[in-house]
Amino acid sequence: MRNIAVTVSYDGTDFNGFQSQPYGRTIQQEIELAIKKLTGEDLIIIGSGRTDAGVHATGQVFNFFTESAIPAERWAIALNTRLPKDIVIMDAFEVPEQFHSRRSAKRKTYRYTIDMGKFPDVFYRRYAFHHPTPLNVEAMQQGLSCLVGEHDFTSFTSIHSTKPHHVRTIYEAYFEREGQMLHMYMTGNGFLYNMIRIVMGTLLHVGHGKLKPEDMARILEGRKRSLAGPTAMPHGLMLMKVEYPEQM
Amino acid sequence: MRNIAVTVSYDGTDFNGFQSQPYGRTIQQEIELAIKKLTGEDLIIIGSGRTDAGVHATGQVFNFFTESAIPAERWAIALNTRLPKDIVIMDAFEVPEQFHSRRSAKRKTYRYTIDMGKFPDVFYRRYAFHHPTPLNVEAMQQGLSCLVGEHDFTSFTSIHSTKPHHVRTIYEAYFEREGQMLHMYMTGNGFLYNMIRIVMGTLLHVGHGKLKPEDMARILEGRKRSLAGPTAMPHGLMLMKVEYPEQM
């Protein structure tokens, strides 16, 4: 059996998330269907992680084991012709047997985008959360910086999180402006359920002056979801990339 | 009666063009319906020009005459709350009675975008024409430069054009790269039916070496639609802005 790893981008707007489930269209189901059309195999792909309904990706990664002899460099073209237009395979390569897109992942980078324009940019309406009220971006950046490092992120995850441990390391976190868009980038060794969206919902309170930047550290220490702000809308969130050890 | 001019952006994907017609959803009909909901008036808006099905706008302009006392600066917010999400009013202002968004227009700028990536950028799939075959952009720029100035553009308009005169002036025309996107910008005193799309379809032949850059001048001189290339897909086209004399 060959192990094939694939990088995929998708517009999450019309999906009920990445992972297969009984109701609604999912990215996983569409990809498995495309593989079946191509090779005839009924297989299950392993994603690097779930993304929620409405969340997008430029660089999600998945892998699967196949009997097919199709060369690695042909998979992207072959699958793209069998996929709907809101999923685009970017790259595919053969990887060692032990490669597991979720367990082998070392770093993930997400972006959350806020459209700060007085009126929304119509071409970003599916990819940015429109928030026309003025924001103190400098205070938000200060608050965000409190999260860099190794911390228990219990305050910044959904009470429905199924993970036993809530300690994660954030390597980098910053804001970047692009016209009327405000992007927040976060890179870490892993993220808890709803973590980026709760971070953004809380930072919006900082941006409005309802919270001070240093409150972010206090909220972390409190380890209670109720201390943090609301969960920001899913459609501003994008999984940018997943990184693996070099030898893989 | 007050004359109100409005700048509007729209994602043309799910419209059957700007202008009202018996079949399909149009931008004009949605805007007239929003005005009716707001003021109760059954009125007809005057667009600066039509855009075809699938064509987008960041800066389309229209005007209309109203009995309403709503201040100019309130129109944008009031209409946006009554419009579907794929139409966004950007600005509104009161203009002299003689202002006519089509007849008063002095310059228009369009952009046509080609996605040159090996695979399409999923977030641009509605706004760029995916064309993965390599293009000689320098030759295309040379060919495009032949069109600057005052010319008879009969070769570059649909045989269904209803305009009696085909002489137009192009003030500026150039290509610009942005990542895997190639934008063509054209500014002129007016454009004929399908003109930009036929120019792009012909320049793609230049980019492939099927035509030479200087053939663009020959095609112009021939004044026959059959000399030019095909009409490029509508979804790569965007009306960027419409300019008026300063006193208006």
Side-chain angles (χ1 to χ4, degrees):
Chain A
M1 295 278 269
R2 297 161 70 214
N3 191 5
I4 307 288
V6 175
T7 308
V8 61
S9 61
Y10 46 82
D11 177 339
T13 307
D14 299 325
F15 290 102
N16 199 10
F18 182 82
Q19 196 173 51
S20 293
Q21 49 167 298
Y23 304 104
R25 185 175 173 245
T26 71
I27 293 126
Q28 183 179 348
Q29 284 161 339
E30 294 283 2
I31 292 171
E32 289 170 355
L33 185 65
I35 294 173
K36 184 166 186 173
K37 283 190 219 163
L38 179 60
T39 72
E41 293 168 300
D42 258 316
L43 52 78
I44 289 177
I45 62 170
I46 303 156
S48 81
R50 310 172 191 188
T51 55
D52 278 345
V55 174
H56 317 288
T58 54
Q60 170 69 293
V61 174
F62 65 87
N63 72 296
F64 60 94
F65 292 89
T66 178
E67 302 280 3
S68 161
I70 298 170
E73 67 276 13
R74 293 294 305 165
W75 277 95
I77 286 179
L79 289 178
N80 280 334
T81 60
R82 290 160 177 87
L83 280 166
K85 282 191 195 296
D86 45 3
I87 302 178
V88 178
I89 306 288
M90 302 309 286
D91 213 349
F93 29 95
E94 198 163 342
V95 286
E97 196 191 337
Q98 71 273 20
F99 177 91
H100 185 285
S101 63
R102 190 178 74 250
R103 286 192 218 121
S104 310
K106 287 295 166 222
R107 294 158 63 103
K108 283 187 182 179
T109 299
Y110 280 90
R111 184 182 84 180
Y112 194 100
T113 301
I114 290 178
D115 181 346
M116 302 191 297
K118 184 179 172 191
F119 300 116
D121 181 326
V122 72
F123 304 105
Y124 274 82
R125 72 192 186 284
R126 297 160 181 260
Y127 316 125
F129 172 44
H130 183 233
H131 188 89
T133 327
L135 291 170
N136 181 344
V137 177
E138 207 178 305
M140 292 169 77
Q141 176 63 64
Q142 281 176 42
L144 179 59
S145 299
C146 299
L147 306 185
V148 175
E150 190 183 74
H151 301 286
D152 182 319
F153 284 95
T154 301
S155 297
F156 293 99
T157 185
S158 162
I159 53 165
H160 302 295
S161 164
T162 54
K163 295 284 165 63
H165 303 293
H166 290 167
V167 174
R168 295 291 182 277
T169 301
I170 301 300
Y171 302 116
E172 198 176 46
Y174 60 94
F175 283 97
E176 197 172 86
R177 286 189 72 147
E178 181 195 7
Q180 72 187 60
M181 300 299 153
L182 177 67
H183 303 295
M184 175 182 79
Y185 288 92
M186 285 186 88
T187 300
N189 64 352
F191 292 90
L192 300 165
Y193 187 51
N194 281 354
M195 181 168 153
I196 314 257
R197 292 167 55 192
I198 298 170
V199 166
M200 181 50 94
T202 311
L203 288 174
L204 285 171
H205 280 354
V206 175
H208 287 142
K210 282 169 79 171
L211 286 173
K212 292 197 186 99
E214 55 270 29
D215 287 330
M216 294 297 280
R218 185 183 53 74
I219 293 167
L220 263 183
E221 284 158 24
R223 296 180 199 184
K224 259 168 80 179
R225 169 69 185 89
S226 58
L227 296 171
T231 307
M233 300 284 280
H235 68 282
L237 187 59
M238 172 101 74
L239 173 54
M240 300 296 285
K241 67 177 172 186
V242 187
E243 293 168 90
Y244 295 92
E246 277 200 21
Q247 66 274 25
M248 287 198 143
Chain B
M1 296 279 268
R2 297 161 69 216
N3 190 5
I4 307 288
V6 176
T7 309
V8 61
S9 61
Y10 47 82
D11 177 338
T13 308
D14 298 325
F15 291 102
N16 199 8
F18 182 83
Q19 197 174 49
S20 292
Q21 48 167 299
Y23 304 104
R25 188 176 170 243
T26 71
I27 293 126
Q28 183 180 348
Q29 284 162 337
E30 293 282 3
I31 292 171
E32 288 169 356
L33 184 65
I35 295 173
K36 184 165 187 174
K37 284 189 216 164
L38 179 62
T39 72
E41 294 169 301
D42 259 316
L43 52 79
I44 288 176
I45 64 171
I46 303 156
S48 80
R50 311 171 191 189
T51 54
D52 278 345
V55 174
H56 318 288
T58 55
Q60 169 72 291
V61 174
F62 65 86
N63 71 296
F64 59 95
F65 292 89
T66 177
E67 302 280 5
S68 162
I70 297 171
E73 68 276 12
R74 294 292 305 165
W75 277 96
I77 286 179
L79 289 179
N80 280 333
T81 60
R82 290 161 177 86
L83 280 167
K85 282 190 194 297
D86 46 2
I87 302 178
V88 177
I89 307 288
M90 302 309 286
D91 214 349
F93 30 94
E94 199 163 341
V95 286
E97 196 191 338
Q98 71 273 20
F99 176 92
H100 185 285
S101 62
R102 191 179 73 249
R103 285 191 221 121
S104 309
K106 287 296 167 221
R107 293 158 62 103
K108 283 186 181 180
T109 300
Y110 281 91
R111 184 182 84 179
Y112 194 100
T113 301
I114 290 178
D115 181 346
M116 301 191 297
K118 182 179 171 191
F119 299 116
D121 182 327
V122 72
F123 304 105
Y124 274 81
R125 71 192 186 284
R126 297 158 180 262
Y127 316 126
F129 172 45
H130 182 234
H131 188 90
T133 327
L135 292 170
N136 181 343
V137 177
E138 207 179 304
M140 292 169 76
Q141 176 63 64
Q142 280 177 41
L144 179 58
S145 299
C146 300
L147 305 184
V148 174
E150 189 183 75
H151 301 285
D152 182 318
F153 284 95
T154 301
S155 298
F156 293 99
T157 186
S158 162
I159 54 166
H160 303 294
S161 165
T162 55
K163 295 285 166 62
H165 304 292
H166 290 166
V167 175
R168 296 291 181 278
T169 301
I170 300 301
Y171 302 116
E172 198 175 45
Y174 60 95
F175 282 97
E176 197 172 85
R177 287 189 71 147
E178 180 195 7
Q180 71 187 60
M181 301 299 153
L182 177 67
H183 303 295
M184 176 183 79
Y185 289 91
M186 286 188 86
T187 301
N189 64 351
F191 291 90
L192 300 166
Y193 187 53
N194 282 354
M195 181 168 153
I196 315 258
R197 291 167 56 192
I198 298 170
V199 166
M200 182 50 93
T202 312
L203 287 174
L204 285 172
H205 280 354
V206 174
H208 288 142
K210 282 170 76 173
L211 287 173
K212 291 195 186 105
E214 56 269 29
D215 287 330
M216 293 297 280
R218 184 183 54 75
I219 292 167
L220 262 183
E221 283 159 25
R223 295 181 199 182
K224 260 169 81 180
R225 170 67 186 92
S226 58
L227 296 171
T231 307
M233 300 283 281
H235 67 282
L237 187 59
M238 172 101 74
L239 172 55
M240 300 297 286
K241 66 177 173 188
V242 188
E243 293 170 271
Y244 296 92
E246 277 199 22
Q247 65 274 24
M248 287 200 144

